[in-house]
Amino acid sequence: MRMVSPTGFDGIAALIPKYMGPGLMTNLSDVSSLRREELSACKTNGGLYILRRREGYSLLTFLIKSGPVPELPGTVVTELVARPGDRGEAAELFESAGYHKLLRRVRLTRPAGAADGPGKAVYKASPSELSEVDRLLRSCFDPVTGCLPSKDELSLDLAEGKVFAVSVANGLAGVLRASGRREIRQLCVGEPYRGRGIAGALVEAFLAENGNGRCSVWTGSENAAALAVYKKHGFSADGYTSTVFIKR
Amino acid sequence: MEKLLEILKTVCPDVDFETETDLVEDGILTSLDIVMIVSELMASYDIRIDVDDLMPENFKSAETILELVKRAEEN
């Protein structure tokens, strides 16, 4: 293994095509997001390992043709996405390198089709609500596995109208953060306000905004409340799953 | 086009590449699918596709993917 020099997006991006080919195991998805990150990387003959700095750990993006997974510095978290038919070889490589499972997610997809329409209480959160939205998201999602946005990203999403909200007298009761028109990134309702149909109203608002087109969401495979809300609104498992692994 | 459709079907067997015209915007192809498709294209056509080419516009339909392959072959 050796660290890649120079680091930074351009240096690392130039290496990526060298590792692409049949049999590739990767969790590289949104290449453009790498451009905004503080990156380091290391490479072996069989793989390129890109580390994004997070508070207290590194988030790993990998392109692997063959193992083993090398020893990487510090606490490392990575998410393996399995497409339908995948044989789980990447998971085996990480497990044999000492990584263990933190969380399993499933992807749910909703085909295009009419929905009930948004409840009146739902509105688009404004940039002035940044702190409140951030606080609610962080109170509902695990900081390591929750895929939470940075404050800069959230600020941009608020400005672009990608965050739907429901308020009560005391402040925010629930929010839905979308990624584009086709994916829900986070949906959460504060604990005191659960069981009142707020999550469903937020989903309906998102669907209405996007013309009731096909859309998807990743959610915890054991999060019964979330699974029930999505099922009620026409989502069902589409065969994609993911597992978050950690090595301390 | 026939060879391309065969490759695309191998990578994403459930996708109707012959009729869909907005694969990314309609949420049919994910970013991860695109990376896997590019991996197969690079090997099958012996071409190099750069990271900057992994933009959604290039993967809207089988036609736009074929155009990407042709550009890469010319380079």
Side-chain angles (χ1 to χ4, degrees), chain B residues 10-75:
Chain B
T10 309
V11 185
C12 299
D14 297 331
V15 176
D16 183 1
F17 286 99
E18 286 170 69
T19 55
E20 297 287 353
T21 55
D22 213 342
L23 291 161
V24 180
E25 185 59 26
D26 286 344
I28 296 166
L29 276 192
T30 66
S31 309
L32 188 62
D33 293 325
I34 289 174
V35 173
M36 303 310 284
I37 287 170
V38 166
S39 286
E40 287 296 328
L41 295 177
M42 286 170 67
S44 300
Y45 289 94
D46 194 20
I47 52 174
R48 180 181 163 113
I49 294 175
D50 288 320
V51 169
D52 287 340
D53 293 319
L54 300 180
M55 55 180 69
E57 293 78 12
N58 287 332
F59 299 89
K60 287 175 73 167
S61 65
E63 277 75 22
T64 62
I65 298 171
L66 187 60
E67 283 166 24
L68 172 67
V69 169
K70 283 180 180 169
R71 284 200 303 275
E73 281 178 326
E74 284 163 15
N75 295 333

Side-chain angles (χ1 to χ4, degrees), chain A residues 136 139-141 173 187-199 225:
Chain A
L136 181 57
S139 72
C140 294
F141 288 93
L187 168 64
C188 66
V189 176
E191 206 158 347
Y193 311 109
R194 292 177 189 167
R196 301 183 189 181
I198 292 173

Side-chain angles (χ1 to χ4, degrees), chain A residues 128-238:
Chain A
S128 66
E129 293 172 283
L130 173 63
S131 297
E132 249 192 304
V133 172
D134 189 53
R135 203 177 312 126
L136 181 57
L137 287 172
R138 286 177 198 285
S139 72
C140 294
F141 288 93
D142 183 289
V144 173
T145 60
C147 305
L148 292 167
S150 66
K151 277 216 171 177
D152 286 347
E153 286 173 309
L154 185 55
S155 182
L156 197 61
D157 287 348
L158 287 164
E160 290 177 352
K162 292 179 180 172
V163 181
F164 298 84
V166 170
S167 277
V168 289
N170 299 337
L172 278 184
V175 296
L176 181 153
R177 174 176 167 252
S179 167
R181 298 195 298 121
R182 298 287 177 242
E183 188 179 3
I184 297 171
R185 292 306 297 270
Q186 279 98 16
L187 168 64
C188 66
V189 176
E191 206 158 347
Y193 311 109
R194 292 177 189 167
R196 301 183 189 181
I198 292 173
L202 288 163
V203 171
E204 290 292 339
F206 167 77
L207 294 173
E209 170 84 7
N210 298 305
N212 294 313
R214 178 190 165 106
C215 56
S216 62
V217 61
W218 286 92
T219 189
S221 60
E222 293 179 14
N223 187 340
L227 291 168
V229 167
Y230 290 124
K231 186 179 174 190
K232 188 176 171 187
H233 293 277
F235 291 77
S236 60
D238 63 10

